[in-house]
Amino acid sequence: MIHSLFIINSACDVFIEKHWKSIISRSVCDYFFDQHRKAINPEDIPPVIATPHHYLISIYRCGLYFVAVCMTEVPPLFVIEFLHRVVDTFEDYFSECSENVVKDNYVVVYELLDEMLDNGFPLATESNILKELIKPPNILRTIANSVTGKSNVSAILPSGQLSNVPWRRSGVKYTNNEAYFDVIEEVDAIIDKGGATVFAEIQGYIDCSIKLTGMPDLSLSFMNPRLFDDVSFHPCVRFKRWESERILSFIPPDGNFRLMSYHIGSQGIVAIPIYIRHTLALKETTTGSGRLDITVGPKQTLGRTIENVVIEVPMPKSVLNCTLIPNQGKHSFDPVSKVLTWEVGRIETTKLPNIRGTISLPVSPVVTDSNPVINVKFTINQLALSGLKVNRLDMYGEKYKPFKGVKYITKAGKFQVRM
């Protein structure tokens, strides 16, 4: 399966390499570097690169490239999912996954990679199991290991490793039993110049924080489960029960985990919660100036307030500067990248946020390749834009009554408005 893993920083320096089956030279990364030079953005690098003797499968997260090297054909999504699981594990252990943090924890990183992959095949990828095998680093443990020469690896096999519920350890006890569910939806949309929706879909996921004593068996039901176009589940979910009854039945892992991801788009029209009125004039080249006017307002939010609104406009390369006045928030213009950023914040319906002013242009005739696109970011609390509602959560196998809570959040994914 996976022979080697290379972790590469933004400067294309390999600062960690791990080999499982046979040592593969770093020179294989030259094929990746060639694609890196051709790409404008890190996301433009092909996730699968075929070379004469290897396949390079990569992801880009936290400013780092994780490149897996395979000798034979493998399902690419399988490898990509494993690489994402590696990054999630690093974030769980070290709170963040950056070059400096990884370098500061070299020993733990190599111990984790040894346990997560065995002879090139995924072995232990659940956080609960890994934390029983390898203790998360702290200052006292690091000092003790330096003095005694011991490692973080436990000599005892995790209790759940050989059970039929490997994602949950046995003997879990809590004073306060709690189960929290976050229903998070990200709206991907393209809005044309006239305000009509060209494309819209919702990528959603349910994140859980479960702190329950013993071995609880949970059932989560929805008011309208037929909304889902496509779903993917954590291994703890019983798929047959979902297929027959549209109910999530599972024995949860202990702690934080993603219960399911879903996609909504083909059924009906996705509601757009925000609108943007915009005017951009770049034709006044005789005076060396143009005009920009942008107004932001709520559209279909069911009375909820839109917060954390940020507007980004990549201006044409011919723009020299922007002199703008917002009635709310603050703005900045980067003369190098030509990106205008307006941090709007919260939208109040009584006074809609507006920014207007002049754009400095060269006096010579300006030829623009295309009109810029407005990138929008926002957050709406206590609203699931798709209309998804959790009906109830039932618990079996334990006698206590846990505290239960559900929170809904709608965010902007790749949300663009054409000018």
Side-chain angles (χ1 to χ4, degrees), residues 11-211:
C12 288
D13 295 326
V14 178
F15 65 94
I16 273 194
E17 58 180 278
K18 172 67 178 170
H19 307 281
W20 284 275
K21 289 192 172 183
S22 57
I23 296 177
I24 296 176
S25 172
R26 284 190 182 188
S27 60
V28 74
C29 294
D30 291 343
Y31 296 98
F32 176 82
F33 297 147
D34 290 341
Q35 296 293 333
H36 182 273
R37 282 190 289 270
K38 295 176 185 176
I40 299 174
N41 299 311
E43 293 83 2
D44 295 336
I45 298 175
V48 181
I49 301 171
T51 73
H53 303 290
H54 307 90
Y55 294 96
L56 306 184
I57 301 175
S58 64
I59 66 169
Y60 176 75
R61 277 184 65 180
C62 308
L64 302 174
Y65 300 97
F66 294 78
V67 183
V69 182
C70 304
M71 299 281 284
T72 57
E73 284 194 21
V74 296
L77 290 178
F78 191 87
V79 180
I80 288 171
E81 176 63 25
F82 173 77
L83 293 177
H84 280 294
R85 188 64 63 91
V86 169
V87 180
D88 292 340
T89 302
F90 288 172
E91 289 179 336
D92 193 23
Y93 264 73
F94 315 128
S95 298
E96 62 174 315
C97 180
S98 64
E99 182 180 358
N100 291 333
V101 169
V102 171
K103 285 181 175 178
D104 291 341
N105 297 277
Y106 263 137
V107 175
V108 179
V109 166
Y110 277 104
E111 288 171 348
L112 286 171
L113 292 176
D114 270 330
E115 297 297 339
M116 294 184 76
L117 217 65
D118 180 42
N119 196 35
F121 291 88
L123 179 63
T125 57
E126 284 295 332
S127 180
N128 289 322
I129 301 299
L130 288 170
K131 284 183 177 177
E132 283 194 71
L133 278 168
I134 302 164
K135 301 299 181 185
N138 58 41
I139 296 174
L140 291 177
R141 191 174 290 122
T142 302
I143 294 172
N145 290 346
S146 300
V147 173
T148 60
K150 293 182 179 179
S151 71
N152 289 328
V153 181
S154 171
I156 303 172
L157 191 68
S159 55
Q161 183 75 42
L162 301 178
S163 75
N164 59 352
V165 189
W167 50 83
R168 186 175 181 87
R169 59 192 174 90
S170 61
V172 180
K173 291 184 179 180
Y174 286 101
T175 305
N176 297 320
N177 293 284
E178 304 168 330
Y180 297 107
F181 296 85
D182 290 350
V183 180
I184 303 170
E185 296 189 342
E186 296 184 354
V187 186
D188 296 339
I190 298 175
I191 312 299
D192 68 11
K193 191 173 182 179
T197 303
V198 177
F199 163 84
E201 65 180 15
I202 292 173
Q203 308 291 343
Y205 43 93
I206 299 178
D207 287 340
C208 306
S209 179
I210 306 293
K211 297 179 180 178

